Amino acid sequence: MVSIVPNNIQIEDDRTGVDVETIKRAFLDNLFYIQAKFPKVATRNDYYMALAYTVRDRLLNRWLNTTKTYLEKAPRMVAYLSAEFLLGPHLGNNLINLGLYNVVQQAMEELGLNLTDLLEQEEEPGLGNGGLGRLAACYIDSLATLEIPAIAYGIRYEYGIFDQDIKDGWQVEVTDKWLKYGNPWEVVRPEAELQVKFGGHTEPYTDDYGRYRVRWVPYKVVRGVPYDTPILGFQTNTANTLRLWQAKAPESFDFAAFNKGDYFGAVHEKSECENITKVLYPNDDFYQGKQLRLEQQYFFVSCSLQDMIRLMKQQNLALERFHEHFVIQLNDTHPTIGIAELMRLLLDEYGFDWEQAWKITTQTFAYTNHTLLPEALERWPLAMFGSLLPRHLEIIYEINQRFLDEVRIKFPDDGDRLRRMSIIDESGERYVRMAHLACVGSHAINGVAELHSQLLQQTTLHDFYEMYPEKFTNVTNGVSPRRFMVLSNPRLANLITNKIGDGWIKHLDELRKLENFVYDSEFRQQFRQVKQAVKQDLANYISKHYNLEINPDSLFDIQAKRIHEYKRQHLNALYIITLYNRIKANPDLDITPRTFLFGGKAAPGYFMAKLIIKLINSIAEVVNRDPDVHDRLKVVFLKDYNVKFAQRVYPAADLSEQISTAGKEASGTGNMKFSMNGALTIGTLDGANIEIRDAVGADNFFLFGLTAEQVLAKKAAGYNPWDYYHSNPELKLVIDRLASGFFSHGDPNLFSPLLDSLLHRDEFMLLADYQSYVECQEQVSLAYRNQDDWTRMSILNVARMGKFSSDRSIRDYLQLIWKTPAVQVGVPEYIQNSTLKLTV
């Protein structure tokens, strides 16, 4: 049947149209033709999938034209290598960036569906542990928003970070099956698979020109299959690619072994190879875990570098220009093996000499350091490394020898410096130090907050700073306002837009315009109403899922982040016990009502972090049921904290707990997300807290605790935590009550490992900071009682957060390190054309 359309009627294409009727029609088509369902039998997941494909269709024109533009123009590209990408759900973010949220919401309503329910249906890709992976996700969003040619590379873990359940107050890890219903946002590219070698041995030989060469004869070869996801920028045609690699066996089934009756052997190779990308970051407390983690890192880095070389060949670009076409950003030490791998590819596969290969390599790589903790700087046992990557160990030995010769020239007769700076750690069991390799093989090294970068230069990487001061710079982290304001907090976003327009979404500095309304009583009231509505939403959620009623008028005091001793969730817990003890001593005590909310996961092998979770839940069990407390205190541990759940939490916070030991947190990004949504911060001078305090004003930030310099000085002077225990009666009562078994059903031993750590070592200075923290919390309580002043401070926090957009961070990387110009992408009108000539 042929439809004749009059010339004066315009029909939108079902793949690209953006009016309500077209969206509805496309949605129902996808439900029928992709999900193979009709409404009477469709599930909520079917509806979500149909909508996801409908939205993805509207991405594809931009995505393919972006790829086409890069292929034709061959611009310099940022290759962002990260072992983690904590993306969060795609649907809502893509609707925001496409400008289709309201249109799709209306279309779903007219079909009798609720967009919020469909957004909730999406499984979150749990491809990261926390801040590192979430930062990578914000950065690729900003790269596309700023129209920067980029490709991001990582690992397609079949099982992401575990889902967290709480049983009897303890964390229980549950397998994260994020792919169980499929992933509508990715496109698999089996024709672009690559091969990665492992193990075996090397063989020297002389090539046809008489040059010394090395051949790597591997023990096994693994296939890397790419899965591509479009990452669309906000209000732009640029949609860059996130390419995640999945490991596959060279042959999926060994029929010879099967026919001999070896049924296990028939599938063993497949299992062994595919284990590489089976699960996010295996527990590396044991040898097999360490080896698997190194396999993961090398696998995705090798695939990614081979892929970049392939892209250059497609564009007929000479490999000598690799560093002109790609700048590779190493997101922490995890992808650092790429330095040795690029050298191997250039030397062994493409015949470059050492000097030329090293020049290309060092001009290509840049290194972001995310930690000051020496134990967090990756190093690999030499025997294991050499067994798995024999050729790379040879290359690293050569890099190290040449590097140490440079050190000798610059710092003659300094043997201790040579020992400290060597890429090979010779003390005890020998190790390959990956941070050292990153410093030597990169042309730029950056920290992620001003204090962090200073401390890197003064402590952790001091020797390398003295060797290469020109390499070091700072790029303070940032977060995406699209996800963490517009999507997470639409009430606040709409209020802001109604006052100052929507330019702030792409240019966050425009939030400064809100300062004009700080003393506008009507605006303050509207701002307060927004906060109250969001708090009520969270209170309703907690009532439904935790069977606990909390007072939305109380101060929502929130600490949500990975559980770690240096982040000091247990300092917060000590303060809760302090308040509880005061109420028990005086049941009529007048205190500012508070709801303490915690969220975060502990690493599966980190016992002390798990014990902190148990402590918080044990305190909650006592406090929440004690009639003396009434509604003055409530404590809730919000289980399975992830990006989707964080979008509920950040907007609802009155107080943001950023209480890490000064000098331990590299930056933090949760502190930024809370402050953007109007939470006031209680914190130490640590990480980006310093810059946040400078930006929002000291009067709008609750500061406590020792500085990084004071922490070092106290430790150098012989810090003794017992002095604080004996000299502070309130602290002593808290510790004694914990030790007595009061919060553990009479068991005095349950929390003894935690108390022993505090009283005998207190590495993270909780007892030293306790009194300062308590006094600062008293200031918080007093300030919260004056809601008008609190609202004014809250508005100023939002208004002055422009610096902390990930867009600003990316601009800093562009200016200081990448030197990569923007490229505009044009999207021609979509036309179905059957007259094209196709070639293969």
Side-chain angles (χ1 to χ4, degrees):
M1 179 178 176
V2 177
S3 296
I4 299 175
V5 181
N7 291 334
N8 62 338
I9 296 178
Q10 182 176 355
I11 295 180
E12 287 200 87
D13 183 84
D14 280 1
R15 297 284 190 186
T16 60
V18 295
D19 69 22
V20 171
E21 289 304 315
T22 307
I23 295 289
K24 287 161 62 178
R25 187 170 61 245
F27 170 80
L28 292 172
D29 279 355
N30 284 330
L31 180 67
F32 193 87
Y33 289 107
I34 294 183
Q35 289 305 106
K37 292 286 185 72
F38 51 90
K40 191 171 183 179
V41 298
T43 65
R44 188 164 78 168
N45 189 67
D46 290 320
Y47 289 133
Y48 158 71
M49 295 289 280
L51 181 57
Y53 283 115
T54 301
V55 174
R56 196 187 80 171
D57 283 345
R58 281 137 188 85
L59 286 175
L60 285 175
N61 204 17
R62 292 170 172 83
W63 190 23
L64 294 178
N65 276 285
T66 299
T67 303
K68 183 171 179 284
T69 300
Y70 295 167
L71 194 64
E72 292 171 350
K73 295 188 175 181
R76 190 175 201 217
M77 297 186 68
V78 175
Y80 198 85
L81 266 60
S82 180
E84 301 182 27
F85 287 93
L86 197 57
L87 298 164
H90 290 280
L91 177 57
N93 207 63
N94 282 329
L95 288 174
I96 295 295
N97 285 353
L98 284 166
L100 289 180
Y101 194 97
N102 292 335
V103 171
V104 169
Q105 188 174 45
Q106 181 182 340
M108 294 302 101
E109 285 177 1
E110 292 183 10
L111 290 171
L113 298 171
N114 185 298
L115 178 58
T116 301
D117 291 342
L118 300 185
L119 292 171
E120 279 298 311
Q121 178 63 32
E122 183 172 357
E123 281 287 333
E124 177 170 327
L127 305 180
N129 285 290
L132 180 86
R134 185 52 238 171
L135 182 78
C138 285
Y139 280 1
I140 59 176
D141 174 277
S142 287
L143 280 162
T145 296
L146 296 176
E147 300 179 308
I148 304 303
I151 183 167
Y153 288 106
I155 302 173
R156 186 181 184 265
Y157 302 102
E158 184 178 344
Y159 301 109
I161 186 171
F162 59 89
D163 292 335
Q164 181 194 55
D165 201 0
I166 300 294
K167 297 287 178 66
D168 189 30
W170 292 96
Q171 171 178 292
V172 176
E173 295 92 25
V174 180
T175 303
D176 170 33
K177 300 177 182 178
W178 73 281
L179 288 169
K180 63 182 174 182
Y181 295 128
N183 179 7
W185 303 103
E186 66 185 4
V187 176
V188 60
R189 310 284 193 188
E191 75 284 356
E193 73 172 39
L194 295 164
Q195 292 191 338
V196 180
K197 304 173 184 178
F198 289 99
H201 63 278
T202 62
E203 296 175 349
Y205 70 98
T206 302
D207 68 12
D208 295 340
Y209 300 96
R211 296 176 302 183
Y212 175 85
R213 295 292 179 194
V214 177
R215 181 185 297 112
W216 180 11
V217 182
Y219 163 72
K220 69 177 178 183
V221 176
V222 178
R223 291 185 299 139
V225 178
Y227 287 73
D228 290 353
T229 301
I231 305 296
L232 179 67
F234 177 73
Q235 293 183 343
T236 179
N237 290 328
T238 299
N240 287 327
T241 297
L242 169 64
R243 175 159 282 190
L244 302 178
W245 299 96
Q246 184 168 30
K248 297 284 187 181
E251 295 294 337
S252 294
F253 193 81
D254 186 343
F255 277 100
F258 181 80
N259 290 335
K260 288 188 294 186
D262 183 5
Y263 307 121
F264 172 77
V267 296
H268 174 66
E269 184 181 19
K270 173 180 170 66
S271 299
E272 185 182 64
C273 291
E274 295 183 1
N275 276 345
I276 292 174
T277 55
K278 186 67 70 176
V279 65
L280 170 70
Y281 276 35
N283 190 338
D284 62 3
D285 291 341
F286 52 96
Y287 185 89
Q288 290 85 352
K290 290 183 188 298
Q291 178 169 317
L292 183 52
R293 187 163 176 174
L294 179 56
E295 286 179 340
Q296 288 182 337
Q297 293 177 9
Y298 175 64
F299 167 76
F300 100 85
V301 165
S302 179
C303 285
S304 303
L305 285 167
Q306 291 183 65
D307 194 54
M308 290 178 228
I309 291 172
R310 179 170 57 192
L311 289 172
M312 291 195 67
K313 289 180 177 179
Q314 284 179 352
Q315 295 167 303
N316 294 316
L317 298 172
L319 202 52
E320 289 84 352
R321 295 178 54 203
F322 186 88
H323 57 289
E324 297 174 14
H325 191 63
F326 285 105
V327 56
I328 299 177
Q329 192 67 41
L330 302 173
N331 192 27
D332 216 8
T333 52
H334 311 131
T336 299
I337 189 61
I339 291 168
E341 172 66 358
L342 183 55
M343 286 295 292
R344 184 192 71 83
L345 289 167
L346 295 175
L347 292 169
D348 298 353
E349 304 293 335
Y350 295 99
F352 284 70
D353 61 40
W354 182 276
E355 286 72 18
Q356 189 179 20
W358 185 242
K359 179 182 177 182
I360 293 169
T361 297
T362 54
Q363 291 183 6
T364 296
F365 284 97
Y367 166 49
T368 299
N369 174 284
H370 284 278
T371 183
L372 291 164
L373 305 177
E375 65 271 19
L377 296 176
E378 283 190 317
R379 56 183 198 150
W380 301 110
L382 205 64
M384 183 188 78
F385 191 98
S387 173
L388 195 67
L389 302 171
R391 178 57 179 143
H392 298 77
L393 185 57
E394 292 175 354
I395 290 170
I396 288 171
Y397 274 137
E398 181 73 13
I399 293 171
N400 196 42
Q401 178 184 315
R402 291 169 180 251
F403 165 65
L404 292 180
D405 285 344
E406 289 182 37
V407 177
R408 287 187 186 93
I409 293 171
K410 188 161 187 175
F411 302 100
D413 306 317
D414 192 343
D416 194 51
R417 183 183 295 268
L418 291 171
R419 178 189 57 77
R420 294 194 309 265
M421 296 185 73
S422 173
I423 298 171
I424 307 298
D425 183 352
E426 304 283 0
S427 59
E429 183 183 0
R430 301 169 75 203
Y431 291 92
V432 182
R433 296 160 158 166
M434 301 309 285
H436 291 210
L437 178 60
C439 290
V440 174
S442 299
H443 68 275
I445 303 163
N446 72 279
V448 291
E450 288 175 4
L451 175 66
H452 172 237
S453 295
Q454 292 167 13
L455 291 174
L456 274 182
Q457 296 169 21
Q458 294 166 8
T459 58
T460 311
L461 299 180
H462 178 65
D463 288 326
F464 291 94
Y465 177 66
E466 289 193 329
M467 183 77 186
Y468 305 119
E470 71 284 356
K471 287 188 179 185
F472 282 78
T473 189
N474 172 66
V475 179
T476 298
N477 285 345
V479 301
S480 167
R482 272 76 64 181
R483 180 173 293 276
F484 292 107
M485 292 184 74
V486 182
L487 179 61
S488 302
N489 201 348
R491 293 184 184 92
L492 179 61
N494 290 335
L495 176 64
I496 294 170
T497 297
N498 288 338
K499 278 293 179 186
I500 65 171
D502 64 1
W504 64 273
I505 300 172
K506 203 167 184 175
H507 304 282
L508 203 62
D509 284 331
E510 291 191 17
L511 287 176
R512 277 277 180 182
K513 296 176 183 177
L514 289 177
E515 292 195 39
N516 296 328
F517 304 100
V518 166
Y519 294 103
D520 180 335
S521 60
E522 182 183 357
F523 181 71
R524 287 201 305 274
Q525 183 181 2
Q526 292 170 336
F527 190 93
R528 225 171 9 250
Q529 288 170 345
V530 164
K531 176 65 76 172
Q532 196 64 23
V534 176
K535 290 173 68 176
Q536 185 66 61
D537 286 348
L538 185 56
N540 293 342
Y541 179 91
I542 291 170
S543 174
K544 178 180 177 181
H545 294 276
Y546 293 83
N547 194 28
L548 180 68
E549 300 301 322
I550 63 174
N551 176 10
D553 293 323
S554 65
L555 191 161
F556 278 21
D557 182 329
I558 304 183
Q559 189 171 12
K561 55 183 70 219
R562 186 164 49 92
I563 309 297
H564 198 291
E565 288 170 276
Y566 87 79
K567 295 179 185 287
R568 300 201 298 190
Q569 284 90 351
H570 45 332
L571 176 58
N572 194 347
L574 296 185
Y575 175 63
I576 298 171
I577 297 174
T578 302
L579 290 180
Y580 177 74
N581 287 345
R582 290 177 182 178
I583 292 172
K584 293 304 287 183
N586 179 10
D588 297 323
L589 184 67
D590 179 24
I591 69 168
T592 302
R594 286 206 195 209
T595 299
F596 290 91
L597 298 165
F598 293 85
K601 297 176 181 179
Y606 190 174
F607 170 74
M608 204 66 86
K610 288 185 164 183
L611 190 59
I612 290 171
I613 292 176
K614 174 63 174 174
L615 171 65
I616 293 165
N617 283 301
S618 296
I619 293 170
E621 188 180 2
V622 171
V623 169
N624 293 345
R625 72 181 184 185
D626 191 329
D628 285 346
V629 173
H630 300 299
D631 285 332
R632 287 173 290 182
L633 294 182
K634 283 287 193 298
V635 183
V636 187
F637 189 91
L638 302 166
K639 67 180 181 181
D640 203 29
Y641 191 73
N642 56 19
V643 176
K644 185 192 292 190
F645 195 55
Q647 292 172 195
R648 294 181 186 277
V649 171
Y650 292 126
D654 293 307
L655 186 70
S656 162
E657 297 268 355
Q658 307 298 330
I659 60 176
S660 53
T661 312
K664 295 297 183 183
E665 184 72 82
S667 167
T669 53
N671 46 7
M672 303 170 189
K673 297 162 195 169
F674 278 115
S675 197
M676 279 180 182
N677 284 279
L680 305 188
T681 304
I682 181 169
T684 54
L685 288 177
D686 194 29
N689 285 358
I690 299 169
E691 292 161 77
I692 290 174
R693 182 171 179 262
D694 288 344
V696 304
D699 292 341
N700 305 304
F701 186 105
F702 297 100
L703 176 66
F704 79 96
L706 300 171
T707 65
E709 293 79 11
Q710 289 169 337
V711 167
L712 293 174
K714 273 198 176 294
K715 289 188 174 182
Y719 171 62
N720 183 4
W722 283 102
D723 293 341
Y724 292 89
Y725 170 79
H726 288 300
S727 63
N728 189 324
E730 200 163 39
L731 173 60
K732 184 176 185 300
L733 178 59
V734 169
I735 298 293
D736 290 349
R737 189 156 269 177
L738 263 178
S740 72
F742 183 88
F743 291 98
S744 49
H745 301 287
D747 180 358
N749 298 315
L750 179 59
F751 298 117
S752 58
L754 201 57
L755 297 176
D756 288 347
S757 174
L758 290 178
L759 292 170
H760 294 98
R761 295 181 300 279
D762 195 17
E763 180 183 354
F764 301 109
M765 313 293 279
L766 269 79
L767 303 195
D769 273 349
Y770 167 83
Q771 188 58 37
S772 176
Y773 181 58
V774 169
E775 291 170 2
C776 192
Q777 288 283 23
E778 297 306 310
Q779 297 174 31
V780 171
S781 294
L782 189 63
Y784 189 73
R785 293 190 175 215
N786 186 330
Q787 278 292 290
D788 209 41
D789 274 357
W790 186 277
T791 302
R792 178 185 56 78
M793 296 163 71
S794 183
I795 293 170
L796 288 174
N797 265 261
V798 176
R800 295 171 177 175
M801 287 301 291
K803 173 181 177 178
F804 301 99
S805 168
S806 49
D807 299 346
R808 188 273 313 150
S809 300
I810 292 302
R811 289 190 189 99
D812 285 354
Y813 274 107
L814 292 170
Q815 179 185 352
L816 298 171
I817 299 172
W818 298 339
K819 317 295 184 185
T820 307
V823 172
Q824 287 193 333
V825 174
V827 176
E829 183 181 352
Y830 178 82
I831 300 173
Q832 290 183 332
N833 190 342
S834 60
T835 64
L836 290 173
K837 299 283 186 183
L838 304 179
T839 59
V840 177

